Amino acid sequence: MSFSELRPWLIMLLFSLAAFSFFYTNIASAYSLQQLLTLLLLGVAIYFWTLSPLPIAASSLVLVGLILLLGVAEKPEEASSGFLPNAIYFILVLSLISAALVKAGVDRVFAHIIIKFSRGGIRAILLGLPLLIVFMAVFLPSAVARFRILEPIVEQVNGRFGFGQESLFRKYCMYVIGMLNQNSTMIVLMAGGFPILAAQLLKDFGGIQISRLGWFLRIAPPLWLAMLIISFGVWFYFKRNSALLITAHWKIPEMEAGVLPPRFWWIMLPFGMMIISWIVLDHQQVPLILDPLLLVGYYTMPINGLITNKTVRTYDWENFLLLGSSFSLG
């Protein structure tokens, strides 16, 4: 029997052991009925989004229904509260902007520049991408924004080298702009839920007043070092479990006709202004989502035509429903 066939049984065994220890060691007595039901729903959600054959979108809606059925939330508005925070719409808006940049051919331009500076080889990209993520966190605190900017560029570079969707290069780069990118947000106190929560806990329970600079100087060096070391380990792990890269494709692909896409600067200048506003503006006064909302409006204008009804329909609504229901459960 293969590991993939054993995995569901192993996970069920672990859940059974956890439930047994939970209820027969008096741990459960410390929780109210509502709290126990919430923990039960957490286990159901994990099953829905990992092993269940149900579609993610459908199971996410079922989870919202279970929150109401079990009385964890008293009103329908409370069960669907996860669809109200700005964070979920921030992800949606940035996804639309990313799709617009791809439609405008911006990703091809940056892919060409990256490959040209790497002299046609992937070694410089593999070494430079983790360093880029580390320093981008200082100037662009939002991990979602960094991911949405870099993801289409990585896809374009992967395609330019002639690699497939399961290539070692793509797996590693997606790890870097996903997991490594998310962790790098913790070094910046002005964004990200975890660092702000940690700083507040230090203030409330430890009586420690810490500034942004103080946080940065304490957190950045060990966290950056740990992330860079882990990135090497992940590379060797992927290398052991992936097909070898084909060196025959390591050459600089040229841009079509060697010219920029139409209206390139009219597309990039407002995008650059949005990035600058994120860096310089106080997000307590100006919501982070305001600038991308305005940019979506600009890209939607007929003269640009980069965001249409088709763009919205092709958005990954499965993840939207998953995020909303998970926020509700949280």
Side-chain angles (χ1 to χ4, degrees):
M1 185 177 290
S2 64
F3 177 74
S4 59
E5 295 174 329
L6 283 173
R7 185 171 59 179
W9 297 102
L10 290 174
I11 293 177
M12 289 182 63
L13 177 62
L14 290 175
F15 269 116
S16 300
L17 291 174
F20 179 83
S21 61
F22 189 80
F23 286 102
Y24 289 93
T25 57
N26 291 326
I27 296 178
S29 61
Y31 293 88
S32 67
L33 177 61
Q34 187 182 38
Q35 291 170 333
L36 290 174
L37 291 174
T38 305
L39 290 175
L40 174 63
L41 284 178
L42 176 61
V44 171
I46 293 172
Y47 168 74
F48 276 169
W49 298 329
T50 55
L51 299 176
S52 171
L54 289 175
I56 290 178
S59 61
S60 299
L61 294 175
V62 169
L63 183 64
V64 174
L66 290 175
I67 292 176
L68 282 172
L69 178 66
L70 297 179
V72 174
E74 297 178 356
K75 301 177 181 179
E77 293 81 5
E78 295 176 1
S80 58
S81 61
F83 295 94
L84 299 178
N86 283 340
I88 191 171
Y89 294 98
F90 183 70
I91 296 172
L92 168 61
V93 171
L94 283 181
S95 299
L96 296 177
I97 291 174
S98 177
L101 295 177
V102 171
K103 188 175 181 180
V106 172
D107 59 327
R108 296 197 301 271
V109 176
F110 283 101
H112 178 78
I113 294 173
I114 289 173
I115 296 175
K116 187 173 183 178
F117 275 98
S118 69
R119 297 183 178 180
I122 67 167
R123 188 182 303 275
I125 300 175
L126 295 175
L127 294 176
L129 190 58
L131 296 175
L132 176 64
I133 288 294
V134 162
F135 289 103
M136 277 184 72
V138 179
F139 302 105
L140 186 56
S142 171
V144 176
R146 294 194 301 271
F147 179 83
R148 290 301 177 187
I149 291 170
L150 291 173
E151 188 258 347
I153 298 175
V154 167
E155 294 283 11
Q156 186 68 220
V157 172
N158 185 70
R160 290 291 186 97
F161 279 121
F163 302 143
Q165 290 294 299
E166 297 298 321
S167 72
L168 170 60
F169 176 80
R170 182 179 181 275
K171 287 181 180 179
Y172 176 75
C173 289
M174 285 300 175
Y175 163 78
V176 170
I177 67 173
M179 296 299 294
L180 195 67
N181 175 41
Q182 187 68 37
N183 290 337
S184 66
T185 295
M186 294 181 67
I187 67 172
V188 185
L189 192 56
M190 68 182 70
F194 288 126
I196 292 175
L197 175 61
Q200 189 64 40
L201 290 174
L202 287 174
K203 178 181 178 181
D204 292 344
F205 297 101
I208 300 173
Q209 296 285 349
I210 188 168
S211 65
R212 289 179 177 177
L213 179 61
W215 174 274
F216 180 83
L217 294 177
R218 288 171 174 82
I219 297 297
L223 189 59
W224 274 350
L225 180 62
M227 287 192 300
L228 292 176
I229 292 174
I230 291 173
S231 67
F232 285 107
V234 170
W235 164 257
F236 288 112
Y237 171 79
F238 283 152
K239 187 175 182 181
R240 189 180 64 180
N241 293 277
S242 303
L244 295 176
L245 295 176
I246 303 173
T247 57
H249 292 148
W250 293 12
K251 58 183 180 180
I252 302 176
E254 295 296 331
M255 283 181 56
E256 294 82 352
V259 296
L260 293 175
R263 294 182 56 80
F264 175 80
W265 293 112
W266 289 100
I267 300 301
M268 283 306 301
L269 284 176
F271 180 78
M273 291 171 62
M274 179 187 72
I275 301 296
I276 294 172
S277 71
W278 282 342
I279 298 172
V280 301
L281 294 180
D282 183 0
H283 300 314
Q284 300 296 327
Q285 303 296 327
V286 182
L288 194 66
I289 196 174
L290 175 60
D291 297 303
L293 282 174
L294 295 176
L295 186 61
V296 165
Y298 173 73
Y299 286 163
T300 307
M301 293 173 62
I303 193 173
N304 295 314
L306 297 176
I307 297 179
T308 62
N309 287 334
K310 183 179 180 181
T311 309
V312 177
R313 283 195 295 268
T314 55
Y315 174 70
D316 188 1
W317 291 104
E318 275 195 349
N319 281 334
F320 181 87
L321 293 173
L322 183 149
L323 287 170
S325 58
S326 64
F327 287 171
S328 293
L329 182 59

